[in-house]
């Protein structure tokens, strides 16, 4: 649906930005099985969009390239879980609503699509219902929906630790011209963690960058995604994507999250767009998107 069409049909619109793990270090594992992570995260201009409209009864509709993928989700969709959880918290203020999800991001692809959708649902419904919650209460609701939802609620550059709930803003992180590419092959997150060679890896260290004395690209390059080696063993196309991005001049390439989306950072947006067009021509069956990430000072 064109942007103006969604805006005309739904009074409240929320962007669900793609979440990019610039770095992901697995530093331990809790007794309950959750892995402890150190992550440097930013968000892209591209993503899903949600529209909200008062309705006689609750309704949920889908569109977008990947909308059909979610058509059979029913009540398991994180957007609907977010609606129900927020309604439970606010009570009578929560009148029935029609929510439309324009699903532009591939599902289960390591760029936080479902989590970003849930966070956008929380933001959009609060606007539609004319209410707000204390920051701590809203963060608690977000965490109930998933470990990535609190950071997606922020949708700005940040460091996340623990299982993702310990968040620190990174106001100095610049915007990056970027290409995202995914071969549209599923990667099982539990399987990736199962194949992880070590679960007590060195923590993320960004001290030079946070002190303003280092180039951010150098700092990011010195970090890593501990989930990339096991994910490459499951989906060999991840290595292929990285090689294709590097061959076209990417300054840095890495996998995001548990995959299979990879990103390449480019010197200019024009270079990113040219690369995305070339990759799309070569692999039209993949998801390929040129985008720009938000800056910490936005």
């Amino acid at each position: 649906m064109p942007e103006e069409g969604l805006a005309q049909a739904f009074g409240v619109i929320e962007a669900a930005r793609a979440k990019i793990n610039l770095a992901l270090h697995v530093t331990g594992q809790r007794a309950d099985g959750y892995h402890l992570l150190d992550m440097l995260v930013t968000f892209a201009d591209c993503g899903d969009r949600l529209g909200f409209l008062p309705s006689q009864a609750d309704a949920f509709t889908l569109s977008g390239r990947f909308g059909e993928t979610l058509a059979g989700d029913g009540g398991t969709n994180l957007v609907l879980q977010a609606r129900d959880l927020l309604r439970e918290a606010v009570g009578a203020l929560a009148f029935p609503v029609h929510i439309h999800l324009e699903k532009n991001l591939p599902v289960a692809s390591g760029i936080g699509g479902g989590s970003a959708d849930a966070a956008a649902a929380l933001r959009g419904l609060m606007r539609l219902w004319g209410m707000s919650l204390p920051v701590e209460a809203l963060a608690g609701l977000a965490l109930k929906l998933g470990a990535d939802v609190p950071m997606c609620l922020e949708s700005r550059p940040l460091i996340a630790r623990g299982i993702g709930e310990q968040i620190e803003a990174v106001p100095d992180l610049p915007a990056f011209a970027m290409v995202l590419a995914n071969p549209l092959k599923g990667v099982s997150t539990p399987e990736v963690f199962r194949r992880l060679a070590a679960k007590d890896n060195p923590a993320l260290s960004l001290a030079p960058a946070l002190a303003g004395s280092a180039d951010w690209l150098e700092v990011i390059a010195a970090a890593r995604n501990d989930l990339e080696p096991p994910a490459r063993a499951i989906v060999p196309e991840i290595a292929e994507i990285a090689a294709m991005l590097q061959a076209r001049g990417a300054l840095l390439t890495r996998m995001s999250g548990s995959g299979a989306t990879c990103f390449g950072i480019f010197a200019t947006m024009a270079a990113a767009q040219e690369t995305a067009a070339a990759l799309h021509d070569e692999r039209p069956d993949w998801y390929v998107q040129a985008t720009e990430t938000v800056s910490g000072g936005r």
Side-chain angles (χ1 to χ4, degrees), residues 47-141:
D48 299 336
R49 292 190 302 155
L50 283 81
F52 306 85
L53 188 70
S55 181
Q56 291 294 101
D58 283 334
F60 180 56
T61 51
L62 292 158
S63 65
R65 179 179 176 185
F66 300 101
E68 287 188 7
T69 310
L70 300 177
D73 265 7
T76 65
N77 189 286
L78 277 176
V79 169
L80 302 184
Q81 292 183 44
R83 177 200 65 193
D84 295 344
L85 200 60
L86 186 60
R87 175 175 280 148
E88 184 180 328
V90 303
L93 292 172
F95 50 78
V97 59
H98 177 186
I99 303 175
H100 182 83
L101 170 58
E102 182 184 271
K103 190 65 186 167
N104 303 313
L105 298 177
V107 175
S109 57
I111 49 177
S115 298
D117 294 343
L122 292 175
R123 294 193 303 265
L125 287 169
M126 286 193 297
R127 288 171 56 200
L128 185 73
W129 289 337
M131 46 76 68
S132 61
L133 290 176
V135 172
E136 296 80 6
L138 186 59
L141 286 184

Side-chain angles (χ1 to χ4, degrees), residues 89-196:
V90 303
L93 292 172
F95 50 78
V97 59
H98 177 186
I99 303 175
H100 182 83
L101 170 58
E102 182 184 271
K103 190 65 186 167
N104 303 313
L105 298 177
V107 175
S109 57
I111 49 177
S115 298
D117 294 343
L122 292 175
R123 294 193 303 265
L125 287 169
M126 286 193 297
R127 288 171 56 200
L128 185 73
W129 289 337
M131 46 76 68
S132 61
L133 290 176
V135 172
E136 296 80 6
L138 186 59
L141 286 184
L143 187 59
K144 286 182 179 180
L145 292 164
D148 283 355
V149 181
M151 65 185 88
C152 290
L153 200 59
E154 297 282 338
S155 283
R156 57 177 175 162
L158 53 86
I159 296 169
R161 295 189 172 90
I163 63 171
E165 83 285 8
Q166 301 169 27
I167 292 173
E168 174 189 353
V170 185
D172 296 331
L173 190 72
F176 296 110
M178 187 175 284
V179 174
L180 305 178
N182 185 295
L184 300 184
K185 287 193 174 183
V187 184
S188 166
T189 299
E191 178 65 11
V192 169
F193 276 103
R194 189 186 69 79
R195 291 181 178 228
L196 193 62

Side-chain angles (χ1 to χ4, degrees), residues 226-269:
D226 289 330
L227 301 183
E228 186 165 346
R232 285 189 178 211
I234 299 169
V235 180
E237 286 89 345
I238 293 170
E240 182 183 354
I241 291 171
M244 293 169 76
L245 291 170
Q246 290 167 357
R248 287 167 174 81
L251 305 175
L252 184 148
T253 64
R254 185 163 289 154
M255 187 185 81
S256 179
S258 58
T261 301
C262 297
F263 64 85
I265 296 177
F266 288 82
T268 65
M269 194 60 201

